[in-house]
Amino acid sequence: LIVKADSGESLSQFIKRVNISYVSYYRKKHGGIGHFFQERYKSFVIQDDRYMLACGKYIELNPVAAGLTKNPGEYEWSSYKYYIKGTNDKLLDASPEYERLSNRTQSSMKMYEAFVNDGVIERRKEERFFKDGFYGSKKYEEDLTGSGLRSKWSHTGKPRKK
């Protein structure tokens, strides 16, 4: 999920509303008690269009990488079908980065499909991106770190085997 927020507080409130609404819906339908999601959401600062599109590509290809589907268009909850076929989706607003690919809808669809399906995700320090909390050029990352941005990463993963 990529959400653009005006402030950290508005993002936090949005995620809180989504969480409460979904848990309420799920519990009414399936029963149960307690928290639904295991951990807090994670948010990252993304530099610009190029990096935003790369994050979108990463999300589109996650079901493929996880072995859930053979291609991103097969995953029910993906925005991929919206972007390459124009399939209507009431939950989705088109990404401004996608809309800037071309002035012609068909061209944008073909460009996005080629971009996602080339199979290459910039894996450059991907693990670090998820721990540092920002994604962009080296200079951008240095500027953010220099201005005081610090990660609040708390997940340490599985304990090491002894």
Side-chain angles (χ1 to χ4, degrees), residues 77-88:
W77 305 110
S78 174
S79 59
Y80 185 76
K81 289 178 277 200
Y82 172 85
Y83 287 121
I84 68 152
K85 294 181 181 175
T87 304
N88 189 28

Side-chain angles (χ1 to χ4, degrees), residues 37-82:
F37 297 105
Q38 181 176 348
E39 296 180 18
R40 279 184 51 96
Y41 72 95
K42 296 171 186 74
S43 62
F44 306 97
V45 179
I46 302 170
Q47 182 176 359
D48 59 20
D49 300 353
R50 176 178 151 226
Y51 294 100
M52 185 71 79
L53 277 173
C55 289
K57 178 180 186 172
Y58 176 84
I59 290 170
E60 302 284 20
L61 291 174
N62 266 340
V64 177
L68 299 174
T69 64
K70 293 203 184 295
N71 69 63
E74 295 173 358
Y75 190 63
E76 181 179 2
W77 305 110
S78 174
S79 59
Y80 185 76
K81 289 178 277 200
Y82 172 85

Side-chain angles (χ1 to χ4, degrees), residues 9-10 32 52 58 61 74 92 117 129 132 160:
E9 185 176 320
S10 64
M52 185 71 79
Y58 176 84
L61 291 174
E74 295 173 358
L92 183 69
N117 288 320
F129 157 64
D132 286 349
R160 294 182 190 260

